[in-house]
Amino acid sequence: MNTVIFRTIAPLIVAVMLVFSFYVCLRGHNEPGGGFIGGLIAASAIAVFGMASGVQHVREALKVEPLAIAGFGVFLAAASGLLSLFIRAPFMTSIWLYLDIGESVVPLSTPLFFDLGVYFVVFGTLSSVALSLDGDSEEDL
Amino acid sequence: MGPSTQTGIALVAVAPFLAAMLAPLIHRYAGRFSGWLLAAIPAAIFVYLLSFADIVIGGGQVAAQIEWVPAYDLNLSFFIDGLSMVFALTISGIGTLIVLYSGAYLAGHPHQGRFLGFMLAFMGAMLGLVLADSLLVLFLFWELTSVTSFLLIGFDHMRQAARRGAIQALVITNIGGMFLLAGAIAVQQLAGSWEMSALRAMGDLLRDHALYGLVLTCFLGAAFTKSAQFPLHFWLPNAMEAATPVSAFLHSATMVQAGIYLLARLNPVLGGTSAWMGLLVAFGGVTLIWGALGALKQTDLKQMLAQTTIASLGLLVLLIGLGSDAAIGAMVIYFVAHACYKAGLFMVVGAVDHGTGTRDITGLSGLADKMPVTFIGAALAALSMIGLPLTAGYFAKEEMYLGLISADWLSLVVLIVLVAGNAMLAGVALLVMIRPFLGEALPTPKAPHEAPIAMLAGPMLLGAAGIVAGILPDWLGQDVLAPGAGAILQREVDSHLTLALDFSAPVLWLSALTWALGIAVYRQADTIRTLLRRFDNGLGWTADTVFDICMFGLIRFSGAVTRFLHHGRLELYLVLLFLALALALFGPMLAWGGLDWIVPATDLGDWSKRLVLPAMQPHEWGVIVLAIAGLLAVLAAPTRLIAILSMGVQGAALALVFLLFGAPDLAFTQLMVEVLSVVILTFVMTRLRLDARDPRPFEDWARDGTIAVVCGAGISLLLMLVLNGTLDTRLSDLFAATSAPIAHGHNIVNVILVDYRGFDTLGEISVVMGAGIAILALLRRRKRGAGTPEPAPRTRKAAP
């Protein structure tokens, strides 16, 4: 599988997939998508990247331990739920904030951050598993 | 009570924990002054609590409440009356000296900050325990004391004995904790309230209840484990593996006194019955004698003190059991006196250990010249322990004899036990005071020298406190005994402590007898020790060995269970798993006639009624053909890799089916899972170094194939059954209707996930991450087994 064509094209595919995954995650509240699917797409991108360029490359490109990303995700999701305590509402009550930027309105909400948390957990866990399963990574583990 | 009291008491409960968290940081910057700095917190608590003294001495109470889970009527409620005041002041007062002492005792220790943190957290737990009003809050802090004491006892975790002592204390006291929880729940169910202040107002409700015995058993179980009553006393001497400041704090004024506090606290609700009196007096009496004899067996100063602590705890339990005005008064005074002298003596022992390098009484002598201040501290504490006049211990002893002088033979037995116990304790006190300090000087591992001031402040102040209390009987009686005993008995108790010696009173002669016996015990200490040890060796086993037998038995038992259930043969796991699935699918279907519903018996043989092809578009047929082709390819695949890829084809076709029939979310997910599972399976294959082909024998093929077909058929039939019925759409209608207005989202699937049941999702993603960690751990373990014995610590390469 490790052909020149694949290796050349892979970074492009990975870049597109990562951007797309983020887009899918963000639009999830109204259109098909969401953190879980977004995370899956991003993890697939990492797996593809790993196949093309080797695990060592991917780890260097990620800069952060994948499992740490997952931990950050759980933290983010839980923290987004805690925000509601500041308005004296029960844990995980959603808060919505509509920002007017020029022509468009950007809705910000705690579920959005929660969904991002899900995204990071799925992404982090699956890519960490995929990366450590790769045969090349034996010395790295 | 006003809001300031609320905040104040909440701060008292929280401040030690905050300080505990900051302790390592403070230690890093303040270095050897950290002990002095951190001691300010318990000192502040002590002073703040003193501000309530007037109210409490006047018979009043202070209460504060913070809502916790209002839906279940759970409140963080705190309550200060005479009893909790006595305990809280003792804890924070001695706590101040102990923190100061630890600062010097562990000076230069690399983890001193952590130690101080543990100590403060423990103190916070103990303060919370004695201030709590709700039984559930009491339980919370009770368990916190167990956990923090575990950390303290096991602080020197490189030593096996310390680990063992810590685990033993945790196991024993946690069993007690479970008893406490059970008792608290039982009381709540019977009386309808968690608040002990409310329970006290209910009078005989619990005492007259049919389940009184059960409730009593629960609370006694809790108190006896925590307060080391015979035969559960053995963890306490082992806990002496902890550093000396820990022993001084845990085993004088705090941890072990939690059980005493609980008994005293519940006395108005549960006490006074014959069962209560009988059990408490019996267990307390046996513990008193057992602990006192145990102390005489030892030569290690710290072990001697630990055993006398057991004896003192027995004495306190006995006094609560007696329950008369004099006995309860004696209990309050004895608690204060004991906390002062025992903490002082432990600190003295620490100072001796620090100054000479040994704690063994046979190797110490004549230290008074080199360590005069330590000697004075030891003497002050020991005099109070013996109960000589002009010390707090004297009044405690007088009071306990006072109630027992009667013609009743039971009183007489108790009186004999008390005199014997006190005499032995007095003998031990003399040993601790005289043996190391007076007489000929012996060579010690280190040249004897005086400890730093922070280590001597404690014994001196506590010793002085015992003397001051002893020469101010009016203050001791009115401000300590009366409110404390009044809170336990729920009625006014008048103080009658006086310094005047009445030579016609039998109490004085009993005291004199105690001292005389004490001196005799001191003179014959070596003979008694030899005798006791000979008896011990004859006995062969102790409660400690029984504990070991139980623990190792448990470990062996769980090992056997694990080997039976978790044998490590993946193939067998999977077979069992899927067999269970098949059973779960077909069992209910057959039992409730599900098959008959799908294909009614009358239709059998007439397939035209059932085999009706649905009307579908050509491209839909195409997708289904693709799925079937993928399936056939899996079955026909010559190598494993092709089988994995074919399964991917089949999964992708399924994703297309989802897409066509209006579930784009599901299609998306299915596709991504399919991609990832192909990738991961391929990786796994290369990692496991499997053969390209599957070499299993035909029987295995047949077995696995059958199970697969049965499971598949079961799922298909179940789905058909579900589709045969009418779907209840109330819930999905509700979601569809409320999704946009409530959660501002049009994608119901996502709204449900992140909003309606976000809490579940939070749990699920935590599970996902946990599973990821587990997988990584497994992979790493495998690696270690196969490759180099110990991999170098993992270092990420710097980013280019």
Side-chain angles (χ1 to χ4, degrees):
Chain A
M1 263 203 286
N2 209 352
T3 59
V4 177
I5 298 174
F6 185 46
R7 260 183 291 163
T8 318
I9 290 290
L12 199 66
I13 299 176
V14 170
V16 171
M17 276 175 92
L18 281 177
V19 173
F20 182 64
S21 78
F22 207 60
Y23 164 72
V24 165
C25 173
L26 289 182
R27 72 171 209 160
H29 215 55
N30 290 313
E31 309 282 337
F36 190 72
I37 302 168
L40 280 177
I41 297 174
S44 311
I46 291 298
V48 168
F49 195 18
M51 279 198 287
S53 329
V55 166
Q56 200 49 46
H57 255 90
V58 182
R59 284 194 189 278
E60 276 165 21
L62 271 178
K63 294 196 168 53
V64 189
E65 175 73 33
L67 208 58
I69 299 178
F72 171 73
V74 173
F75 179 77
L76 185 67
S80 79
L82 281 176
L83 279 180
S84 62
L85 297 185
F86 288 104
I87 57 163
R88 296 199 152 269
F91 181 57
M92 296 202 98
T93 308
S94 58
I95 306 169
W96 287 79
L97 182 69
Y98 291 93
L99 287 184
D100 290 300
I101 301 173
E103 297 280 294
S104 57
V105 180
V106 179
L108 279 181
S109 65
T110 50
L112 174 71
F113 290 104
F114 185 85
D115 218 12
L116 284 172
V118 176
Y119 174 91
F120 286 123
V121 173
V122 174
F123 170 58
T125 307
L126 285 179
S127 22
S128 120
V129 170
L131 288 182
S132 52
L133 272 173
D134 186 6
D136 297 354
S137 66
E138 301 227 341
E139 281 70 39
D140 181 59
L141 272 167
Chain B
M1 282 305 135
S4 62
T5 317
Q6 294 269 2
T7 7
I9 293 180
L11 261 181
V12 166
V14 172
F17 295 107
L18 286 179
M21 278 191 272
L22 292 175
L25 204 68
I26 291 177
H27 178 248
R28 184 175 301 166
Y29 292 109
R32 58 201 186 84
F33 299 108
S34 48
W36 293 91
L37 274 176
L38 286 167
I41 288 165
I45 292 173
F46 184 82
V47 173
Y48 178 74
L49 285 172
L50 271 185
S51 69
F52 297 116
D54 284 345
I55 305 175
V56 172
I57 289 168
Q61 295 159 351
V62 185
Q65 203 172 51
I66 303 161
E67 277 196 354
W68 184 14
V69 189
Y72 287 100
D73 194 23
L74 290 184
N75 299 307
L76 288 170
S77 48
F78 298 99
F79 171 87
I80 304 181
D81 65 352
L83 178 64
S84 34
M85 189 73 164
V86 168
F87 272 78
L89 285 178
T90 314
I91 292 162
S92 52
I94 296 186
T96 309
L97 299 172
I98 292 283
V99 171
L100 205 58
Y101 184 85
S102 319
Y105 188 84
L106 284 176
H109 193 287
H111 297 308
Q112 194 195 7
R114 189 193 298 172
F115 181 84
L116 288 169
F118 290 166
M119 197 60 121
L120 285 163
F122 172 77
M123 196 190 67
M126 202 58 214
L127 271 176
L129 194 156
V130 298
L131 295 179
D133 188 9
S134 160
L135 272 172
L136 221 52
V137 178
L138 179 101
F139 167 74
L140 185 82
F141 284 111
W142 180 283
E143 289 296 279
L144 262 179
T145 60
S146 293
V147 173
T148 43
S149 67
F150 169 76
L151 293 172
L152 283 172
I153 298 169
F155 179 70
D156 194 4
H157 61 267
M158 304 300 274
R159 278 181 37 243
Q160 208 246 331
R163 292 202 302 272
R164 176 170 183 272
I167 289 171
Q168 198 177 48
L170 188 71
V171 168
I172 300 285
T173 54
N174 264 15
I175 291 172
M178 292 301 108
F179 271 105
L180 179 65
L181 182 61
I185 292 171
V187 164
Q188 203 272 340
Q189 292 294 315
L190 297 181
S193 175
W194 295 111
E195 313 296 321
M196 285 181 285
S197 48
L199 291 176
R200 276 193 288 279
M202 291 179 190
D204 284 342
L205 182 94
L206 286 172
R207 269 186 288 260
D208 293 341
H209 202 280
L211 291 176
Y212 171 74
L214 180 80
V215 176
L216 186 66
T217 313
C218 287
F219 283 114
L220 290 191
F224 283 4
T225 47
K226 198 79 162 181
S227 285
Q229 295 297 299
F230 183 87
L232 299 164
H233 59 283
F234 54 90
W235 66 265
L236 198 151
N238 290 334
M240 288 296 141
E241 293 299 335
T244 301
V246 178
S247 314
F249 198 36
L250 263 62
H251 307 309
S252 64
T254 53
M255 163 96 157
V256 293
Q257 303 289 1
I260 305 295
Y261 171 79
L262 183 71
L263 290 178
R265 186 42 97 206
L266 292 171
N267 186 53
V269 188
L270 295 174
T273 62
S274 54
W276 169 277
M277 291 177 78
L279 285 170
L280 260 59
V281 170
F283 276 96
V286 172
T287 310
L288 167 63
I289 298 297
W290 192 266
L293 287 174
L296 288 170
K297 252 183 273 183
Q298 307 292 334
T299 54
D300 179 73
L301 281 169
K302 218 168 133 183
Q303 284 296 333
M304 288 169 74
L305 293 178
Q307 299 282 353
T308 59
T309 303
I310 294 177
S312 298
L313 292 168
L315 183 57
L316 286 166
V317 168
L318 190 154
L319 291 173
I320 297 175
L322 289 176
S324 63
D325 278 20
I328 296 294
M331 179 251 147
V332 174
I333 300 289
Y334 189 76
F335 166 75
V336 176
H338 171 259
C340 289
Y341 72 65
K342 194 53 70 63
L345 282 178
F346 268 120
M347 290 195 238
V348 163
V349 168
V352 168
D353 194 11
H354 182 267
T356 65
T358 178
R359 286 198 308 248
D360 198 284
I361 201 164
T362 52
L364 289 168
S365 185
L367 292 176
D369 288 344
K370 300 279 173 49
M371 305 172 75
V373 186
T374 316
F375 174 58
I376 295 171
L380 288 177
L383 291 179
S384 186
M385 184 165 169
I386 298 164
L388 286 182
L390 301 181
T391 64
Y394 170 73
F395 291 110
K397 191 160 48 57
E398 297 285 285
E399 283 289 296
M400 58 181 95
Y401 294 158
L402 193 65
L404 285 167
I405 298 163
S406 75
D408 180 10
W409 68 268
L410 205 65
S411 303
L412 197 66
V413 172
V414 175
L415 194 61
I416 292 171
V417 167
L418 278 179
V419 172
N422 273 326
M424 285 193 272
L425 291 182
V428 176
L430 284 170
L431 280 174
V432 175
M433 175 175 95
I434 297 175
R435 278 287 172 86
F437 292 102
L438 300 179
E440 294 266 320
L442 284 175
T444 49
K446 281 196 237 170
H449 59 275
E450 204 66 272
I453 179 163
M455 282 176 73
L456 293 172
M460 295 308 284
L461 278 174
L462 288 172
I467 303 294
V468 168
I471 47 180
L472 296 173
D474 292 339
W475 171 81
L476 189 67
Q478 272 152 26
D479 292 1
V480 181
L481 186 147
I488 298 174
L489 292 165
Q490 291 292 295
R491 65 181 126 88
E492 286 226 358
V493 177
D494 53 311
S495 129
H496 46 264
L497 301 183
T498 169
L499 272 178
L501 295 179
D502 177 5
F503 288 97
S504 63
V507 174
L508 189 67
W509 297 107
L510 281 170
S511 277
L513 177 66
T514 312
W515 297 325
L517 285 172
I519 293 170
V521 168
Y522 167 72
R523 297 185 70 94
Q524 296 302 317
D526 295 325
T527 330
I528 296 174
R529 188 183 311 131
T530 325
L531 275 175
L532 285 172
R533 288 196 167 175
R534 200 174 296 159
F535 176 73
D536 243 19
N537 293 340
L539 202 63
W541 57 275
T542 60
D544 209 16
T545 48
V546 173
F547 177 83
D548 274 351
I549 292 168
C550 288
M551 286 306 277
F552 285 115
L554 191 65
I555 291 170
R556 268 199 299 277
F557 174 70
S558 41
V561 169
T562 308
R563 275 189 297 280
F564 177 68
L565 291 176
H566 199 70
H567 40 69
R569 289 180 53 204
L570 184 63
E571 210 182 340
L572 215 57
Y573 290 158
L574 288 177
V575 167
L576 278 175
L577 195 71
F578 282 104
L579 275 180
L581 176 66
L583 200 70
L585 285 168
F586 276 102
M589 236 186 305
L590 293 173
W592 283 288
L595 289 180
D596 200 45
W597 200 13
I598 301 170
V599 186
T602 49
D603 289 357
L604 280 182
D606 184 5
W607 290 106
S608 61
K609 283 197 181 168
R610 285 288 136 189
L611 266 175
V612 187
L613 291 180
M616 288 202 294
Q617 302 292 322
H619 63 274
E620 292 168 348
W621 278 114
V623 171
I624 286 176
V625 168
L626 188 65
I628 293 173
L631 191 66
L632 292 177
V634 174
L635 294 175
T639 67
R640 288 182 201 262
L641 191 63
I642 293 179
I644 291 171
L645 290 175
S646 315
M647 204 144 89
V649 171
Q650 196 266 348
L654 203 62
L656 281 176
V657 172
F658 288 142
L659 193 65
L660 290 178
F661 291 95
D665 277 279
L666 207 53
F668 240 143
T669 315
Q670 169 75 23
L671 195 65
M672 284 304 127
V673 168
E674 219 48 63
V675 171
L676 273 174
S677 46
V678 167
V679 170
I680 287 179
L681 277 175
T682 319
F683 280 157
V684 170
M685 248 195 67
T686 54
R687 223 185 142 76
L688 291 179
R689 297 192 187 81
L690 296 171
D691 298 332
R693 289 163 185 286
D694 188 353
R696 279 179 302 165
F698 178 72
E699 304 92 78
D700 284 14
W701 276 78
R703 181 196 63 197
D704 296 351
T706 316
I707 294 173
V709 168
V710 170
C711 285
I715 290 194
S716 314
L717 285 174
L718 188 72
L719 279 178
M720 283 156 79
L721 194 57
V722 169
L723 292 176
N724 251 355
T726 44
L727 284 175
D728 185 353
T729 56
R730 274 179 299 172
L731 204 57
S732 43
D733 288 346
L734 175 79
F735 285 145
T738 57
S739 167
I742 292 182
H744 309 267
H746 296 286
N747 178 3
I748 304 175
V749 178
N750 199 52
V751 165
I752 292 174
L753 275 177
V754 301
D755 205 316
Y756 288 165
R757 40 179 294 269
F759 201 59
D760 294 1
T761 309
L762 184 61
E764 281 156 14
I765 57 176
S766 313
V767 169
V768 167
M769 200 185 80
I773 294 173
I775 293 173
L776 283 193
L778 277 174
L779 290 173
R780 252 169 233 193
R781 221 178 109 86
R782 214 182 119 74
K783 176 74 44 208
R784 199 170 296 175
T788 47
E790 190 67 32
R794 181 182 188 141
T795 45
R796 244 195 331 273
K797 286 202 180 126

